[in-house]
Amino acid sequence: MEFQRNKTMLLAMATSPHLKLVLLAILLASFRQAMAAPPPSLLEEHAGALLAWKATIQSPPAQLQSWGNTTTRPCGWYGIKCGQHRARRQEVVITEIFLRGLRLRARLDALNFTVLHTLTSIRLPFNQIRGPFPPALASSLPNLRHLLLQGNKISGEIPWQIKHLESLVGLVLSENHFFGHIPIEVGYLKKLTRLDFSSSNLTGTIPRSLGNCTKLTILYLDGNQLSGLLPQELGYLVRLQELALSSNKLMGSIPNTLESLINLIRLYLWDNQLSGHIPRELGSLVTLQKLELSGNKLIGPIPNTFGNLTKLTTLHLFDNQLSGHVPRELGYMVNLEELELSENKLMGSIPNTFGYLTNLITLYLSYNQLSMLVPRELGSMVNIESLDLSDNKLMGSIPNSFGNLTKLIVLYLGGNQFSGHVPPEIGSLMDLIDLQFYSNNLFGALPPNLCVGGMLETLAAFDNNLNGPLPSSLASCRSLVRVRLQRNQIEGDISEMGLYPNMVYMDMSSNKLFGQLSYHWGGGMS
């Protein structure tokens, strides 16, 4: 109709038959060209949406130079992948955006997700994306399977519209600036296998609806300000391999429904306000490799069922109010590398079954009420690097079998009731850096070969009954940083001590020393 109107007007304006023929030819050519131009394809619309978003990015990185001015070939652009349209197999569309760690100073709400409705994957981790989580992202992308936005500066609430992303398999929003609750609508995402909201300032309770996400293998909610009880419904997530709820404000007891998580490999509940007993049922999670419950208010005994956890490499129970004896069954966890039970109310003896823990690297038992003798079997822990038995009520002699612990770097024995001599075998530990056995009842001379490995930095043996001369080996121990030998009966000429370029603190007061020490170090002498 428009063509006909224009033709009539132009022909009426023409003053000669020849001019009319020329104008008619031009109009016919324009009509054919208009009829031949197809409407823009989906791919061109998608490219246009990306170019419009790029125009809003502050100082776009060099990688986006490939996003040209043309809208016809976006499948070769950096971070862009294409595929066939699910409904129209012959049509190519943009399906993935993957721009990791480019420091993009952009906003999500500047990207037209309504146009980009064919996306199956959005991966924009570790950038500088600001602004809110746009509801349009959640409501416009029915085929989205992966949404990875971790390590950005996205703020505001997670919108309830997130329930529309029913195809999601992976949802990672960690390390952002969200606030508010975790929407209960997340429980609609029943295809999720990975959910990570860690370190995102979230508050409120853990939604019970998460129990509907039964395909989850990874659930990270740690590093937030979540409060309330642990939902019993977490026990429905029987495919879970990793559950991290640490560094929150969770309270109440650990639900015994967690015994259903038979595929669990890592369980992190540390740094909360959990109380009550540790459920014996956790001993049935035989696939566990890491169990961390430290920094809570847990009471009662350590379950002896933990002896079933033979794949465990890490057991952290420190900083609680646990009581009773240390179960000998812990010695059956022969793959343990880290065993930390400090800052509890444990009593009785150290089990001699700990000699079976030959893979142990760290053993921390300090600040308890352990008593009796230290079993010589601890000398079988040949891979141990840090051994802390300080501030207990341990008595008797220090086992000379400690000389077998040739990988020891740290040995803390202070604040006990040890008596007898310091075993000379300790002086032969070549890698020893920190040696402390202060506040005991030890007597006799210090081992003559102390610091023979040339690594010793800290020596704390104050408040004992040590006597005899200073070991001559200390004179050449240039690695020393701190020496505390005060309040003993050590004898000799202190002027024979060497030069210590790294020394920052030395206290040898209240002994039977004479002479004057040269001040050739970075600190001073007390």
Side-chain angles (χ1 to χ4, degrees), residues 226-457:
L226 300 173
S227 57
L229 306 178
L230 292 179
Q232 299 275 342
E233 288 77 5
L234 292 178
Y236 301 159
L237 308 179
V238 294
R239 298 187 184 183
L240 266 188
Q241 297 178 12
E242 300 185 23
L243 175 59
L245 306 177
S246 52
S247 294
N248 280 291
K249 299 178 180 179
L250 300 168
M251 59 184 66
S253 59
I254 300 172
N256 55 15
T257 55
L258 296 188
E259 70 174 320
S260 301
L261 307 182
I262 57 175
N263 294 297
L264 208 59
I265 295 174
R266 297 176 178 87
L267 177 57
Y268 300 146
L269 301 179
W270 50 273
D271 192 18
N272 278 288
Q273 300 173 25
L274 298 172
S275 57
H277 290 227
I278 299 175
R280 291 179 51 83
E281 290 81 359
L282 294 186
S284 64
L285 304 180
V286 294
T287 58
L288 268 183
Q289 295 178 12
K290 295 181 181 291
L291 176 57
E292 302 193 15
L293 307 179
S294 56
N296 282 288
K297 300 178 180 179
L298 298 169
I299 61 172
I302 299 172
N304 57 13
T305 55
F306 280 9
N308 300 325
L309 306 179
T310 55
K311 293 184 179 180
L312 210 63
T313 62
T314 300
L315 177 58
H316 290 176
L317 303 178
F318 63 89
D319 192 14
N320 278 289
Q321 300 174 32
L322 300 172
S323 58
H325 290 71
V326 179
R328 61 179 287 104
E329 288 82 2
L330 297 188
Y332 304 157
M333 298 188 290
V334 293
N335 288 299
L336 267 185
E337 297 176 0
E338 299 179 18
L339 177 56
E340 302 188 9
L341 308 179
S342 300
E343 298 177 69
N344 280 290
K345 300 178 180 179
L346 300 169
M347 60 182 65
S349 60
I350 299 173
N352 58 11
T353 55
F354 279 14
Y356 301 143
L357 304 178
T358 55
N359 291 300
L360 210 58
I361 296 174
T362 59
L363 175 59
Y364 296 157
L365 301 177
S366 59
Y367 294 98
N368 279 289
Q369 300 174 28
L370 298 172
S371 57
M372 310 300 288
L373 305 179
V374 175
R376 59 176 292 104
E377 286 83 358
L378 296 192
S380 299
M381 301 185 303
V382 292
N383 285 299
I384 200 158
E385 297 177 1
S386 297
L387 176 57
D388 186 358
L389 307 180
S390 60
D391 294 283
N392 280 286
K393 299 178 181 179
L394 298 167
M395 60 184 66
S397 60
I398 299 172
N400 55 16
S401 61
F402 281 7
N404 300 328
L405 308 180
T406 56
K407 296 184 180 180
L408 262 185
I409 296 173
V410 173
L411 178 58
Y412 293 160
L413 303 175
N416 282 288
Q417 300 173 22
F418 289 118
S419 57
H421 292 73
V422 179
E425 289 83 357
I426 286 180
S428 63
L429 299 176
M430 304 292 287
D431 295 332
L432 203 58
I433 292 177
D434 196 342
L435 175 59
Q436 302 188 25
F437 44 85
Y438 57 84
S439 300
N440 280 286
N441 299 313
L442 297 166
F443 57 85
L446 289 167
N449 53 350
L450 270 181
C451 194
V452 69
M455 304 286 288
L456 193 64
E457 295 180 2

Side-chain angles (χ1 to χ4, degrees), residues 28-249:
L28 286 172
S30 299
F31 176 73
R32 292 192 188 97
Q33 184 176 2
M35 294 298 292
S41 68
L42 277 177
L43 189 60
E44 291 172 329
E45 291 180 357
H46 293 172
L50 291 177
L51 290 174
W53 186 52
K54 177 187 174 183
T56 69
I57 298 175
Q58 300 179 41
S59 303
Q63 290 87 341
L64 297 193
Q65 289 180 357
S66 63
W67 292 24
N69 294 322
T70 177
T71 61
T72 56
R73 296 180 180 176
C75 298
W77 293 355
Y78 181 88
I80 302 301
K81 289 187 178 181
C82 296
Q84 289 185 329
H85 193 289
R86 290 193 175 188
R88 291 174 279 185
R89 296 291 183 182
Q90 302 303 318
E91 189 164 9
V92 175
V93 294
I94 291 176
T95 57
E96 297 186 29
I97 302 175
F98 184 19
L99 303 171
R100 177 187 175 92
L102 300 183
R103 303 179 68 81
L104 290 175
R105 301 174 68 182
R107 292 175 63 95
L108 279 179
D109 54 4
L111 188 54
N112 192 335
F113 294 105
T114 304
V115 171
L116 294 163
H117 60 89
T118 58
L119 284 174
T120 62
S121 178
I122 300 174
R123 303 171 192 255
L124 301 172
F126 306 110
N127 285 289
Q128 296 184 21
I129 297 173
R130 300 174 182 268
F133 186 113
L137 187 160
S139 57
S140 304
L141 307 175
N143 300 315
L144 195 67
R145 289 175 52 81
H146 299 281
L147 179 58
L148 278 60
L149 301 175
Q150 68 268 34
N152 282 287
K153 300 179 180 180
I154 303 170
S155 57
E157 295 185 336
I158 300 173
W160 63 266
Q161 289 92 339
I162 202 165
K163 70 177 184 180
H164 296 302
L165 297 174
E166 295 182 357
S167 297
L168 270 186
V169 174
L171 175 58
V172 182
L173 304 180
S174 57
E175 299 178 59
N176 277 288
H177 298 166
F178 293 112
F179 60 79
H181 296 194
I182 298 173
I184 60 173
E185 287 81 6
V186 173
Y188 286 80
L189 308 179
K190 297 182 180 180
K191 294 182 180 180
L192 277 180
T193 62
R194 180 187 180 96
L195 175 60
D196 185 354
F197 288 169
S198 59
S199 302
S200 292
N201 295 322
L202 296 169
T203 58
T205 59
I206 298 174
R208 296 170 58 185
S209 62
L210 287 182
N212 297 326
C213 303
T214 55
K215 292 185 178 180
L216 276 175
T217 60
I218 294 176
L219 176 57
Y220 293 160
L221 303 178
D222 53 297
N224 286 290
Q225 301 179 46
L226 300 173
S227 57
L229 306 178
L230 292 179
Q232 299 275 342
E233 288 77 5
L234 292 178
Y236 301 159
L237 308 179
V238 294
R239 298 187 184 183
L240 266 188
Q241 297 178 12
E242 300 185 23
L243 175 59
L245 306 177
S246 52
S247 294
N248 280 291
K249 299 178 180 179

